[in-house]
Amino acid sequence: MSFQITPSNDALTDICRIQVKFSEIDSMRRVWHGAYVTYFEDGRESFGRHFPGIGYDVMQQTGIYAPIYEVHVRHLAPLAMNDVAVIHTTYVPQRGARLDYSYKVYRESDQMLCAEGSTTQLFLDKDGQLMLERPDYYIEWLKKYGLTPD
């Protein structure tokens, strides 16, 4: 079964490319399943650079972080050493004090969809307490990109 890369109509999607490294390969000579969580992280980091305002740099400056609460991954086709993974990271609007993203990881050589998934991050204040309201920088980011805060 083949899956082709399809253009996204979603304005808040970032695309980055990562070359698979030897350290990510398992005994079957394929990318180890846990490496896809790292690819999602690479996608979020790239997303933050291309849509500034909610990236890790802002979190470090404010002291309000958004650690991972939940990760889902569905593996569809293997990646091997030296393949180029093309990671599509899309912001998924949700109500409340959380960041949600969806991911599609393609093999560049044949545009095969290799994995898809999602993450949810929850905000923690400077004391490490769960925030029920969105931090100011997130509200400003939503406005900057034409999204309406709750």
Side-chain angles (χ1 to χ4, degrees):
M1 181 183 291
S2 177
F3 297 89
Q4 299 296 314
I5 295 176
T6 55
S8 173
N9 294 329
D10 192 332
L12 295 180
T13 296
D14 177 71
I15 299 173
C16 69
R17 289 166 172 75
I18 305 293
Q19 186 167 3
V20 173
K21 299 179 289 298
F22 176 75
S23 62
E24 299 165 344
I25 302 301
D26 65 15
S27 62
M28 295 179 285
R29 298 186 304 168
R30 301 289 185 240
V31 169
W32 174 64
H33 65 276
Y36 288 90
V37 175
T38 302
Y39 294 162
F40 291 178
E41 179 80 22
D42 293 337
R44 283 193 309 280
E45 190 172 340
S46 180
F47 185 95
R49 283 191 302 272
H50 291 110
F51 297 100
I54 58 169
Y56 294 119
D57 57 336
V58 174
M59 291 181 192
Q60 288 182 333
Q61 291 168 8
T62 63
I64 297 174
Y65 292 92
I68 292 290
Y69 170 71
E70 189 170 53
V71 177
H72 291 275
V73 184
R74 193 172 102 169
H75 303 276
L76 303 166
L79 285 167
M81 195 168 99
N82 294 325
D83 280 343
V84 174
V86 181
I87 304 158
H88 292 226
T89 304
T90 302
Y91 170 76
V92 179
Q94 297 288 342
R95 298 178 69 89
R98 58 190 278 173
L99 287 171
D100 289 79
Y101 295 95
S102 67
Y103 309 89
K104 292 189 181 294
V105 179
Y106 296 91
R107 185 171 47 231
E108 186 174 58
S109 63
D110 61 1
Q111 300 181 342
M112 177 71 74
L113 179 61
C114 296
E116 59 186 3
S118 62
T119 58
T120 298
Q121 296 168 258
L122 301 179
F123 289 99
L124 299 181
D125 66 17
K126 293 177 183 182
D127 297 321
Q129 299 299 310
L130 182 65
M131 296 178 66
L132 301 178
E133 301 293 325
R134 291 175 172 163
D136 291 340
Y137 69 82
Y138 186 27
I139 292 169
E140 291 304 314
W141 182 84
L142 290 167
K143 291 176 185 175
K144 179 179 179 178
Y145 291 99
L147 301 168
T148 306
D150 296 339

